[in-house]
């Protein structure tokens, strides 16, 4: 494995300086208003939001306020009784992507309120099922501190650009306003208060697109750094992301966390179905995302020739980061029959050729395991459901037994605990691939 003979914790100073020179850290340190902590839901999450009208403020794609949700550590023996913990979970949510151009795609979450923890946990499962004894983030009955971060920038946590209005975008935005109204109406019928912030009558009518994923990510990590109650700094950070959030935790979030928390913190990353390997054949999509999101401008020059918007940008950055941070550990989980990611790659038609192409993209992750066998692990299998599934870390499927393989919670827990026997798993029907 590529590791320095004398490994110092954290990101190398030269690599950190390179990223700083690219401007990656320019939004870190933004503080949310204290008064927003008065909001709390039944799950114990408190909401912090930023005023989108302020200069350089984080904001959702339509220009509305951005927010994160913080839950202090609790002891399961006394539910919702807050305790101290030196572990922190930072969870980045997913929710599609939006871009324009000749191959425009509008399928992204628009409002952070639609991903409030109360709504996401209606199908409670995965790491948010705190009562499940197999939950890998619960340690001796203690649920760690959690920063839950809704996704609403449409750029997979990677953009830093504002785009003008378009008819197609307005149609999608109008649909999402309708969703927000419907959800609030549904909450009212069951006696719950409406979602906080952004009442429909105060929303913009015809906004542009604010692809500010880097700004939002910076605000979330800054909030995480400021929210450690009782001045308890974390010794371990679990950086977990689903779908677009998986892209975020595998790229910009890692160096931002190191910058905010320092190199001595144990940093463990879990990418749940984040599409890091890119279908480079779809060059029109690559160009459109690069233009709309200003994609790639924060990537370091030393990342290499593949670290460009038309190459394997995500994989190349993960490789670069593992070289420059010799203690970070990264796990990647995906299903071979993931319908959401196959659509993102323009491989949604269920043909043999498209299956082969998608499997080939996932196989690219094996190269990272071969290069960093102790610090990059895959768990890639076919979902037992014919229609496929998109990730597992926050769904009830996470706890379902998998025949002849380690159960996913056990595998995840062993990886989190840095045990020696964690296998790299990539199973294609008819063959088993353990290394590229």
């Amino acid at each position: 494995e590529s590791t320095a003979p004398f490994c110092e914790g954290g990101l190398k100073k030269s690599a950190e300086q390179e990223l700083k020179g690219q401007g990656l850290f320019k939004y870190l340190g933004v503080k949310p208003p204290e008064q927003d902590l008065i909001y709390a839901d039944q799950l114990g999450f408190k909401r912090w939001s930023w005023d989108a009208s302020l200069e350089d403020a984080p904001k959702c794609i339509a220009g509305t306020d951005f927010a994160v949700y913080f839950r202090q550590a609790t002891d399961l023996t006394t539910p919702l009784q807050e305790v101290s913990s030196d572990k922190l979970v930072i969870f980045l949510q997913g929710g599609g992507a939006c871009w324009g151009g000749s191959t425009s795609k509008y399928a992204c979450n628009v409002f952070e309120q639609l991903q409030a923890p109360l709504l996401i946990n209606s199908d409670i499962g995965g790491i948010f099922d705190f009562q499940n004894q197999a939950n890998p983030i619960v340690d001796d009955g203690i649920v760690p501190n959690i920063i839950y971060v809704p996704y609403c920038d449409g750029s997979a946590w990677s953009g830093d650009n504002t785009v003008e209005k378009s008819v197609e975008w307005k149609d999608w935005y109008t649909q999402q306003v309708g969703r927000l109204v419907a959800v609030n109406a549904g909450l009212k019928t069951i006696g719950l208060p409406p979602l906080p912030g952004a009442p429909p009558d105060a929303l913009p009518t015809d906004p542009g697109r604010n692809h500010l994923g880097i700004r939002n990510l910076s605000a979330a990590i800054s909030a995480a750094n400021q929210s450690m109650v009782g001045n308890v700094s974390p010794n371990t950070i679990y950086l977990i992301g689903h779908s677009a959030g998986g892209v975020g935790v595998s790229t910009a979030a890692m160096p931002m966390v190191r910058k905010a928390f320092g190199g001595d913190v144990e940093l463990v990353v879990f990418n749940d179905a984040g599409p890091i390997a890119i279908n480079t054949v779809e060059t029109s999509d690559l160009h459109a995302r690069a233009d709309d999101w200003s994609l790639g401008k924060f990537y370091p020059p030393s990342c290499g020739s593949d670290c460009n918007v038309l190459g394997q940008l995500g994989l190349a950055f993960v490789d670069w980061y593992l070289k420059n941070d010799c203690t970070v550990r990264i796990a990647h989980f995906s299903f071979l029959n993931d319908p959401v990611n196959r659509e993102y790659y323009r491989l949604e038609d269920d043909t043999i050729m498209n299956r082969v192409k998608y499997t080939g993209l996932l196989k690219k992750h094996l190269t990272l395991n071969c290069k960093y066998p102790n610090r990059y692990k895959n768990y890639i299998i076919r979902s037992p459901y014919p229609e496929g599934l998109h990730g597992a870390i926050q769904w009830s499927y996470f706890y379902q037994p998998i025949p002849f393989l380690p159960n996913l919670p056990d595998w995840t827990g062993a990886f989190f605990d840095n045990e020696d026997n964690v296998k790299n798993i990539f199973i294609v029907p008819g063959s088993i691939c353990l290394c590229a």
Side-chain angles (χ1 to χ4, degrees), residues 142-225:
I142 301 297
V143 181
N145 301 295
I146 300 174
I147 288 281
Y148 172 92
V149 192
Y151 166 70
C152 60
D153 62 82
S155 63
W157 297 104
S158 59
D160 189 44
N161 194 35
T162 298
V163 182
E164 295 299 319
K165 305 171 184 177
S166 69
V167 174
E168 295 86 354
W169 158 244
K170 185 177 181 181
D171 289 344
W172 176 255
Y173 170 72
T174 303
Q175 290 180 34
Q176 299 311 297
V177 172
R179 279 189 63 206
L180 187 61
V181 172
V183 169
N184 276 331
L187 291 172
K188 183 178 180 180
T189 61
I190 58 176
L192 292 177
L195 297 172
D201 57 356
L203 296 175
T205 56
D206 189 15
R209 283 182 283 134
N210 298 275
H211 292 296
L212 303 179
I214 294 295
R215 197 181 298 186
N216 295 355
L217 181 57
S218 301
I221 291 172
S222 299
N225 195 26

Side-chain angles (χ1 to χ4, degrees), residues 289-351:
R289 291 196 290 263
D291 291 344
D292 280 8
W293 303 350
S294 287
L295 185 62
K297 72 179 183 181
F298 296 111
Y299 285 78
S302 66
C303 189
S305 58
D306 269 343
C307 225
N308 67 81
V309 295
L310 298 181
Q312 290 295 348
L313 183 62
L315 287 173
F317 181 81
V318 172
D319 187 6
W320 179 90
Y321 193 84
L322 284 162
K323 288 177 186 175
N324 287 282
D325 184 336
C326 60
T327 57
V328 68
R329 294 182 289 112
I330 306 172
H332 163 239
F333 175 82
S334 282
F335 286 117
L336 288 163
N337 52 338
D338 183 327
V340 175
N341 283 348
R342 283 182 53 173
E343 182 181 359
Y344 179 74
Y345 289 137
R346 309 288 186 178
L347 299 173
E348 60 267 36
D349 292 339
D350 194 23
T351 64

Side-chain angles (χ1 to χ4, degrees), residues 247-402:
V247 176
V249 300
S250 302
T251 51
M254 292 190 291
M256 283 188 187
V257 166
R258 283 298 193 207
K259 181 68 174 173
F261 289 91
D264 293 334
V265 172
E266 180 186 22
L267 179 57
V268 186
V269 180
F270 193 103
N271 171 10
D272 180 47
I276 297 298
I278 299 299
N279 185 4
T280 55
V281 174
E282 297 295 335
T283 56
S284 295
D285 284 349
L286 299 180
H287 280 294
R289 291 196 290 263
D291 291 344
D292 280 8
W293 303 350
S294 287
L295 185 62
K297 72 179 183 181
F298 296 111
Y299 285 78
S302 66
C303 189
S305 58
D306 269 343
C307 225
N308 67 81
V309 295
L310 298 181
Q312 290 295 348
L313 183 62
L315 287 173
F317 181 81
V318 172
D319 187 6
W320 179 90
Y321 193 84
L322 284 162
K323 288 177 186 175
N324 287 282
D325 184 336
C326 60
T327 57
V328 68
R329 294 182 289 112
I330 306 172
H332 163 239
F333 175 82
S334 282
F335 286 117
L336 288 163
N337 52 338
D338 183 327
V340 175
N341 283 348
R342 283 182 53 173
E343 182 181 359
Y344 179 74
Y345 289 137
R346 309 288 186 178
L347 299 173
E348 60 267 36
D349 292 339
D350 194 23
T351 64
I352 293 177
M353 182 58 70
N354 280 351
R355 291 184 187 182
V356 171
K357 288 179 179 178
Y358 185 61
T359 300
L361 289 173
L362 290 178
K363 278 187 176 181
K364 292 182 181 296
H365 288 267
L366 295 178
T367 303
L368 292 171
N369 169 252
C370 293
K371 203 168 183 179
Y372 310 95
N374 297 320
R375 297 193 294 128
Y376 194 94
K377 300 286 187 179
N378 297 287
Y379 196 122
I380 303 173
I381 60 173
R382 185 172 180 83
S383 161
Y385 300 98
E387 66 276 13
L389 291 170
H390 183 49
I393 196 71
Q394 60 182 337
W395 314 124
S396 55
Y397 176 84
F398 184 73
Y399 294 106
Q400 292 188 17
I402 302 173

